[in-house]
């Protein structure tokens, strides 16, 4: 049995999406970031930091989305979503797997500052400006790379696209993508994948990441 511990439209969506790409059915246990369920002792025994995702699979429990994506790709090599040691694109594959969390940390900071801090007086306009600029800088190398190929690796779609591709559905809330046509086309290719569509269907219509826009909302 495979069981995913999950908050809808959080980073655990990466694992839900990858499970669909791999054709693996799972039981999904959903949590909320506001009701304290992630701090319950039962969940902390699975994920010590009280964060999703956590995945019960192959008789063990894994946490951290990057570790889970890497594990799933390497233990299911027949799907071709990993790049094994010796593959010429293995170094780039690993770089993008981990670069995804560098980018996601900036998105998380901006979410905290602009969404979860209800009192505007608690926000730092300077830090928001700095993190927005840092986020924008992470897009430039991706824009260049995706001008020459459909996916992050020349050899095709991989777990790196799952890790980093998910981020790009949150980026337009903070950075205009008018100057990033290759990223916009990449987002469209991601959304066209049956695995992504199946995972989005599981999440339901409340997904604001699925909206067809590429600009920071007004306000």
């Amino acid at each position: 049995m495979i069981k995913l511990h999950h908050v809808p439209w959080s980073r655990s969506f990466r694992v839900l999406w990858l499970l669909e790409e791999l054709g693996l059915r799972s039981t999904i246990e959903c949590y909320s970031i506001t009701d304290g369920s992630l701090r319950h002792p039962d969940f902390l025994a699975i994920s010590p930091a009280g964060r999703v995702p956590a995945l019960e699979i192959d008789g063990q429990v894994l946490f951290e989305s990057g570790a889970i994506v890497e594990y799933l790709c390497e233990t299911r090599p027949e799907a071709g979503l990993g790049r094994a040691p010796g593959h010429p694109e293995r170094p780039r594959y690993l770089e993008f797997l981990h670069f995804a969390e560098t980018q996601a940390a900036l998105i998380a900071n901006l979410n905290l500052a602009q969404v979860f801090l209800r009192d505007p007086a608690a926000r730092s306009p300077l830090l928001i400006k700095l993190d927005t600029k840092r986020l924008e800088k992470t897009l430039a190398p991706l824009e260049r790379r995706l001008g020459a190929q459909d996916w992050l690796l020349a050899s095709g779609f991989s777990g790196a696209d799952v890790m980093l591709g998910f981020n790009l559905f949150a980026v337009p809330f903070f950075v205009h993508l008018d100057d990033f046509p290759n990223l916009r086309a990449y987002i469209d290719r991601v959304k066209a994948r049956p695995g992504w569509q199946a995972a989005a269907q599981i999440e339901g219509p409340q997904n604001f990441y699925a909206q067809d826009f590429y600009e920071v909302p007004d306000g």
Side-chain angles (χ1 to χ4, degrees):
M1 184 191 77
I2 300 174
K3 184 175 183 179
L4 173 62
H5 298 266
H6 176 58
V7 170
W9 302 112
S10 73
R11 277 180 257 194
S12 57
F13 180 83
R14 293 165 169 163
V15 179
L16 178 62
W17 173 15
L18 182 56
L19 290 171
E20 291 298 325
E21 293 280 351
L22 293 169
L24 298 175
R25 301 280 80 80
S26 65
T27 299
I28 302 171
E29 183 165 348
C30 287
Y31 300 80
S32 169
I33 62 174
T34 59
D35 66 2
S37 58
L38 293 175
R39 308 305 302 170
H40 192 280
D42 290 344
F43 183 70
L44 292 175
I46 294 171
S47 180
R51 303 288 297 275
V52 293
L55 185 69
E56 298 181 44
I57 189 170
D58 299 337
Q60 60 187 328
V61 180
L62 299 170
F63 56 90
E64 293 294 333
S65 58
I68 295 170
V69 167
E70 195 166 347
Y71 175 83
L72 288 174
C73 290
E74 291 186 358
T75 57
R76 276 77 180 171
E78 65 280 0
L81 298 184
R83 299 296 184 269
H87 191 285
E89 288 200 290
R90 169 82 172 177
R92 301 290 81 76
Y93 168 72
L94 293 175
E95 279 183 347
F96 283 121
L97 276 178
H98 297 285
F99 181 65
E101 280 303 278
T102 295
Q103 189 179 70
L106 295 169
I107 294 170
N109 288 346
L110 289 166
N111 273 331
L112 176 63
Q114 299 197 55
V115 178
F116 294 107
L117 289 179
R118 299 295 184 183
D119 181 1
R123 302 171 184 170
S124 168
L126 176 60
L127 289 179
I128 290 173
K129 183 177 180 179
L130 286 172
D131 280 339
T132 301
K133 181 56 66 175
R134 289 171 180 150
L135 179 59
E136 186 173 2
K137 286 184 178 296
T138 69
L139 303 178
L142 303 177
E143 176 69 13
R144 290 193 297 271
R145 190 169 188 86
L146 292 166
Q149 56 203 44
D150 284 349
W151 304 107
L152 293 173
L153 303 179
S155 52
F157 183 83
S158 73
D161 293 290
V162 172
M163 280 292 295
L164 203 145
F166 168 74
N167 294 350
L168 297 178
F169 288 89
V171 166
F173 285 89
F174 308 111
V175 177
H176 287 278
L177 292 186
D178 294 350
D179 295 331
F180 298 95
N182 296 329
L183 285 177
R184 293 171 59 168
Y186 175 75
I187 292 171
D188 287 340
R189 286 193 292 275
V190 166
K191 289 169 63 176
R193 291 191 66 83
W196 189 92
Q197 292 179 1
Q201 184 67 31
I202 291 170
E203 295 289 62
Q206 74 278 12
N207 171 28
F208 52 84
Y209 290 157
Q211 296 179 35
D212 292 319
F213 65 86
Y214 299 103
E215 294 186 355
V216 182
D218 292 338

